[in-house]
Amino acid sequence: MMITKKKIIQFSLICTACAGILVSVSPLSLPATTQVVSAASSKADQSTDVTSKLQLVGQPFSTPAYARNVWDMQVFDGKIYLGHGNSSNAEPSPNAGPIPIVYYNPQTSQFVTEKVTYTDPKTGKQSTEDATSEEQIDTFKILKGKLYIPGNDSKSEQWSFGNFYKLDGGEWNKYRNLPDGIHVYDMAYYHGKLLAAIGTDTAPKVLISDDNGENWKELAQIKGLGTRAYKFFEFKGTLYAAAILMPNNNIWGDQTHLLAIDKKFNVTQQQVSGTNLLPGMTYVQTAGKTPYMKMGKTVVFRKQLAYIVGDVYNDAQLAPKALIVTKNIADPARTVTFPDTHALPTDIITRPNKTYVLTYTKQADGSYINRVYMTKNLTKWTQILQFNQDTYAKSFEELDGDFYFGLGTDTKPVSESAGKILKVKASDLKGKS
């Protein structure tokens, strides 16, 4: 059955924060999903160990450690853009920002910070800032050949409008015109129109623009739990928007909805279940832990959808639990089992004829083995590299055969290595990539 607000309150699983947006009662009390394993139980292909060949290209962010989490890395125009910051109200590093737009240029081996221009639509007055107005740059989106940043959580601005940013002609422009967009979590370009997935104080909503983002209106709300629309993904001719997902449980049930948008922009509330979308995951009522889960990174490869899922953690962050693959949204999906069965996925990217996934495994001594696996069919996975660090890699990218990694950290313990950018040269991978 569907979950009602009354039933959730009865179990004391939510509190009001960020103008009524659904969060857990204690973001820092969520138990870590990381499994600590001994070195002996963590399978390792030592022939792919590149720890001694890692290059530290820099640690470019000046924020406290947790806000240096590299949430996303995106190759664009030969540069690697780096998402960072922290939008959570809770410690550590709460409500960071304003967050600058930073990229790494492999040609010059330099980090560059780009300015942001804003033109007031009422007065026409133009101003230029050294950073975005956001507490966190969570993701970059390449839409119709241009680079966008959804305005994750604006800092010191009214909640009547949300922001997005577009790189156009070598200049970043800020647009503050998404109605009710307290949080803008994702954007999509679909059949000539821009769409935005937003978090509000009432419901998870999808906005649509007919004029490349100059004006927006509400397309639909997602019929489900919470007030935040987190993710878009296009699959088999349909654009989907997802809010909170529920794993199998014996308290409320695991039914919810995805918003399905067809090419004529007709919308359908497609009922889905955690049993199908989150195979093998079960919630048992536990003090301090909520059942709320969400999709993270997604790719479509070989006519299949692959998506990282995890707990909603520290307000709106994601604590990864599994990589899931499905051939059809309505059918039972399957969980990927990596050669190291304890590996947790944090990022996934596609290249012609192959997909790469970044994982980590925490060791008994507190260190981490970070691995990249490659597949050509989403079934067989081959380890192409591994390296040890005192923390885990949150995101990665590949450019001209070289791999780049952005280090991250959990809320406890906080690693001062967060924000480091590491590089592995193609020549050190022995042709495995």
Side-chain angles (χ1 to χ4, degrees):
M1 70 181 176
M2 290 304 299
I3 302 166
T4 66
K5 180 181 286 187
K6 180 178 179 180
K7 290 178 181 176
I8 296 172
I9 292 175
Q10 287 173 344
F11 282 97
S12 301
L13 288 176
I14 62 173
C15 71
T16 301
C18 295
I21 293 176
L22 184 66
V23 294
S24 60
V25 292
S26 177
L28 296 184
S29 66
L30 286 171
T33 58
T34 303
Q35 291 179 292
V36 180
V37 299
S38 67
S41 66
S42 179
K43 297 179 182 178
D45 179 358
Q46 296 298 329
S47 69
T48 64
D49 194 325
V50 295
T51 304
S52 63
K53 301 188 179 165
L54 279 176
Q55 297 180 13
L56 172 62
V57 299
Q59 193 175 19
F61 313 129
S62 59
T63 51
Y66 189 79
R68 296 199 299 267
N69 262 299
V70 188
W71 305 110
D72 192 26
M73 304 180 79
Q74 178 63 63
V75 169
F76 186 79
D77 193 27
K79 305 160 186 172
I80 303 173
Y81 283 84
L82 309 169
H84 56 115
N86 178 36
S87 62
S88 173
N89 296 339
E91 295 287 348
S93 312
N95 304 119
I99 297 299
I101 301 172
V102 178
Y103 70 79
Y104 177 71
N105 187 337
Q107 299 300 315
T108 62
S109 300
Q110 292 181 330
F111 293 96
V112 177
T113 299
E114 296 187 306
K115 295 182 180 296
V116 178
T117 298
Y118 174 64
T119 303
D120 189 311
K122 293 183 179 179
T123 65
K125 182 179 179 181
Q126 193 174 85
S127 59
T128 301
E129 302 292 338
D130 292 330
T132 69
S133 302
E134 309 305 316
E135 296 177 353
Q136 179 172 326
I137 297 177
D138 186 66
T139 186
F140 294 91
K141 305 289 293 190
I142 299 177
L143 307 175
K144 202 180 178 182
K146 295 186 183 298
L147 191 62
Y148 288 76
I149 301 172
N152 184 274
D153 191 352
S154 61
K155 189 176 182 69
S156 303
E157 291 183 312
Q158 296 296 315
W159 288 350
S160 53
F161 290 97
N163 307 321
F164 76 95
Y165 305 78
K166 179 169 69 172
L167 182 60
D168 198 354
E171 181 179 83
W172 281 100
N173 291 288
K174 171 186 171 181
Y175 297 84
R176 180 164 176 74
N177 59 3
L178 291 97
D180 208 19
I182 299 174
H183 303 282
V184 185
Y185 285 115
D186 204 0
M187 297 180 70
Y189 182 83
Y190 183 62
H191 291 282
K193 302 182 189 296
L194 278 178
L195 295 99
I198 68 170
T200 75
D201 60 0
T202 58
K205 296 181 180 180
V206 171
L207 305 183
I208 189 168
S209 172
D210 299 325
D211 52 10
N212 295 313
E214 295 293 334
N215 297 278
W216 297 84
K217 61 183 179 181
E218 183 178 319
L219 175 66
Q221 299 181 11
I222 304 175
K223 184 181 178 182
L225 183 66
T227 60
R228 299 177 177 187
Y230 287 116
K231 177 62 63 177
F232 284 124
F233 59 92
E234 188 175 347
F235 187 46
K236 296 194 172 182
T238 299
L239 181 68
Y240 294 92
I244 285 174
L245 302 176
M246 292 290 291
N248 182 35
N249 66 87
N250 294 320
I251 305 173
W252 314 280
D254 62 354
Q255 301 294 315
T256 187
H257 294 86
L258 299 177
L259 189 71
I261 308 166
D262 70 16
K263 63 182 180 181
K264 294 183 179 180
F265 296 94
N266 299 310
V267 299
T268 304
Q269 302 286 343
Q270 181 164 340
Q271 185 167 297
V272 294
S273 70
T275 302
N276 282 356
L277 284 181
L278 308 171
M281 298 182 192
T282 301
Y283 171 73
V284 177
Q285 190 173 2
T286 305
K289 189 175 188 309
T290 71
Y292 312 130
M293 300 185 73
K294 72 172 188 174
M295 286 186 176
K297 306 291 180 67
T298 67
V299 300
V300 175
F301 184 70
R302 304 295 192 204
K303 298 182 180 180
Q304 300 176 83
L305 175 70
Y307 50 99
I308 295 172
V309 297
D311 294 325
V312 179
Y313 174 71
N314 193 23
D315 185 27
Q317 317 299 1
L318 182 138
K321 293 182 75 75
L323 177 66
I324 309 294
V325 174
T326 188
K327 294 182 178 179
N328 293 289
I329 288 298
D331 294 343
R334 62 179 175 86
T335 301
V336 171
T337 301
F338 297 107
D340 173 10
T341 57
H342 297 285
L344 294 173
T346 59
D347 202 357
I348 185 167
I349 59 176
T350 59
R351 293 296 183 267
N353 302 315
K354 61 184 69 173
T355 289
Y356 299 103
V357 65
L358 171 66
T359 74
Y360 70 85
T361 308
K362 189 173 185 179
Q363 303 299 288
D365 63 0
S367 66
Y368 292 79
I369 298 178
N370 297 275
R371 294 184 175 89
V372 173
Y373 293 104
M374 181 271 289
T375 183
K376 295 184 178 181
N377 55 17
L378 294 179
T379 300
K380 181 181 178 181
W381 297 83
T382 302
Q383 181 175 310
I384 66 166
L385 68 85
Q386 72 172 62
F387 60 89
N388 287 52
Q389 288 288 290
D390 62 350
T391 189
Y392 63 93
K394 178 78 73 174
S395 57
F396 77 137
E397 261 291 8
E398 179 273 335
L399 180 60
D400 298 328
D402 299 333
F403 281 85
Y404 298 83
F405 301 90
L407 299 190
T409 182
D410 291 329
T411 55
K412 290 183 179 180
V414 174
S415 172
E416 289 299 322
S417 292
K420 288 182 178 178
I421 309 300
L422 308 179
K423 177 181 178 180
V424 177
K425 289 184 178 180
S427 58
D428 292 325
L429 295 179
K430 302 177 183 179
K432 290 185 176 288
S433 61

